[in-house]
Amino acid sequence: MAQIEGLYTALRLTGPGPRREQLAADLARAAQRLSAIALATAGADVIIPPRSRWQRRRALAARGANWLITRTSRPTPDGPSPKEKGASGKGMPPM
């Protein structure tokens, strides 16, 4: 995001010419990379911890339950097991 902001600022301050065209092309590529990252993470199941202590504990309990289900579920006949999907089995994922 910082790269996009920097390129945009430089583009606004640069007059017409080849440097401006290069900055515009760099800005477009950076925007495409950011878009790809946003699309890749859009489908992730993310639990955002709410503000109250009770709600945070409830969200953490749900996250722990999801982790246990993923690690202990049996493979389905039509798909790979959770371990084959890339689960490392090395503790809880980072918050």
Side-chain angles (χ1 to χ4, degrees):
M1 188 69 189
Q3 182 183 15
I4 291 174
E5 290 173 352
L7 287 168
Y8 179 73
T9 302
L11 183 66
R12 290 196 54 175
L13 297 175
T14 304
R19 175 75 177 137
R20 183 178 178 84
E21 292 171 10
Q22 181 64 39
L23 286 170
D26 291 344
L27 179 60
R29 281 191 294 275
Q32 286 176 339
R33 286 192 302 269
L34 180 62
S35 174
I37 291 169
L39 286 174
T41 59
D45 290 337
V46 178
I47 298 174
I48 299 172
R51 294 192 180 262
S52 76
R53 181 183 301 177
W54 178 82
Q55 289 175 331
R56 282 193 310 267
R57 287 182 179 176
R58 184 175 175 197
L60 287 173
R63 183 172 160 240
N66 287 337
W67 182 84
L68 283 172
I69 291 168
T70 301
R71 299 312 184 276
T72 60
S73 63
R74 295 179 185 232
T76 58
D78 59 339
S81 69
K83 296 238 183 239
E84 293 173 1
K85 291 181 183 177
S88 66
K90 295 182 181 179
M92 296 278 290
M95 288 179 61

